[in-house]
Amino acid sequence: MTEMHMHLGKWTERDLDRILSESSRIRDTGKRIDFLSRQFLDLPYSGSTLIGSVDVPEAFVINLEGVDCLTFLEYVEAMRLSVSFSAFKENLKKIRYGSGEVSFYKRNHFFTDWIKKNSDSVADVTGEIGSGKTARVRKLLNKKEDGTFFVPGIEPVTREIVYIPGENIDKSVLHRLGTGTYVGIYSLLAGLDVSHTGIFIKDGDKSLLRHASSSENKMKVADEDFMEYMSGKPGIIVLGAKSYAAFENRKK
């Protein structure tokens, strides 16, 4: 039987039921993600909160006391698809693990794993957002240049990655980026698809990256000016959340 570790931090299950009930009434997908992710602002950054490796049995972890850049996205996306805390727990398994099976080997270790394993709820929209300004590269994920692995025990996988180079992110790209799109910061390193993840938010005339920042002067979930953050970065991969109705229909 899978062991479960649950830490709800500042919330109770009743609090989360209320938040999820309120968010479920927000029909616009981007606005729902904005509402949910806003609940995490100022939450501490905390790395390595998940439990499981080649040598340690995988546990099902819900840790809302602190998040890293990927668990932040996992919690928000699972919440987006849920009307209650009990539904959130089940949806989190489906978002974090292939086929919802709690296993180290089924866990999404890379951002682009979402495209392969969570196609019911998200889609790669990089090409659409980039509109002719994209680049394409083939990578052997998980295998470093020196032949060692980023995640020991996980077999490397060849994957074709489409990204928008940083120098091509202009006003037209920003215009097509919608609130609530999931953004991965493309990595030039062999074996990695992204170095960081966050959520794109439009606030009036501002373009923001909402993310779990590990910068020494932040160490929390925060909003930053998107273009300032992207200065000097190699580019972005963009995932769009599919409508809740489509996800529900696919579950039937």
Side-chain angles (χ1 to χ4, degrees):
M1 186 175 178
T2 302
E3 190 174 348
M4 182 174 181
H5 292 247
M6 187 165 70
H7 310 281
L8 300 185
K10 63 181 181 180
W11 295 295
T12 65
E13 290 189 26
R14 180 174 292 182
D15 291 333
L16 293 168
D17 271 331
R18 176 183 51 78
I19 290 168
L20 293 173
S21 176
E22 185 175 346
S23 73
S24 70
R25 295 192 290 273
I26 303 172
R27 303 318 300 172
D28 182 88
T29 299
K31 289 179 180 177
R32 184 184 296 188
I33 292 172
D34 180 12
F35 169 80
L36 289 166
S37 59
R38 201 181 314 129
Q39 312 302 315
F40 286 80
L41 286 173
D42 293 326
L43 196 74
Y45 176 91
S46 183
S48 304
T49 57
L50 302 187
I51 299 170
S53 67
V54 174
D55 304 312
V56 177
E58 188 80 4
F60 180 48
V61 174
I62 299 175
N63 190 336
L64 302 182
E65 293 180 337
V67 293
D68 62 26
C69 69
L70 190 55
T71 56
F72 170 49
L73 265 60
E74 288 177 342
Y75 293 133
V76 170
E77 177 62 6
M79 286 180 174
R80 176 184 78 90
L81 300 168
S82 306
V83 297
S84 66
F85 181 70
S86 60
F88 162 70
K89 288 189 288 186
E90 293 308 307
N91 284 326
L92 180 60
K93 291 177 184 176
K94 294 170 186 173
I95 296 302
R96 183 174 289 164
Y97 301 100
S99 305
E101 180 185 336
V102 179
S103 161
F104 173 71
Y105 300 99
K106 295 279 190 177
R107 192 201 302 172
N108 290 338
H109 295 281
F110 298 93
F111 184 60
T112 52
D113 287 343
W114 277 35
I115 302 168
K116 300 296 180 182
K117 298 178 184 177
N118 298 320
S119 59
D120 282 354
S121 62
V122 298
D124 185 352
V125 295
T126 309
E128 177 185 336
I129 301 299
S131 188
K133 300 177 180 180
T134 60
R136 190 179 299 266
V137 65
R138 185 176 292 271
K139 282 195 162 189
L140 185 61
L141 290 190
N142 199 33
K143 193 170 186 180
K144 298 181 184 179
E145 202 164 3
D146 64 5
T148 60
F149 294 164
F150 282 100
V151 186
I154 299 299
E155 284 297 314
V157 58
T158 299
R159 185 164 292 161
E160 192 170 78
I161 295 170
V162 176
Y163 69 100
I164 306 169
E167 62 269 21
N168 291 349
I169 302 174
D170 55 17
K171 287 183 179 179
S172 65
V173 171
L174 286 179
H175 179 72
R176 286 187 291 271
L177 276 168
T179 286
T181 46
Y182 298 122
V183 176
I185 310 303
Y186 177 70
S187 173
L188 296 173
L189 289 178
L192 276 188
D193 51 3
V194 303
S195 60
H196 191 57
T197 62
I199 301 172
F200 183 83
I201 301 290
K202 283 183 177 174
D203 182 9
D205 60 354
K206 297 178 183 177
S207 296
L208 306 172
L209 181 70
R210 182 168 293 164
H211 64 132
S213 174
S214 59
S215 298
E216 286 185 11
N217 63 334
K218 290 191 172 64
M219 291 298 291
K220 64 181 181 179
V221 177
D223 285 344
E224 290 190 61
D225 181 89
F226 183 78
M227 291 305 291
E228 285 183 14
Y229 181 84
M230 286 304 302
S231 178
K233 303 293 194 302
I236 57 173
I237 299 170
V238 188
L239 304 186
K242 295 183 179 180
S243 73
Y244 176 75
F247 176 78
E248 285 296 297
N249 289 336
R250 282 174 172 83
K251 290 201 302 183
K252 293 176 181 177

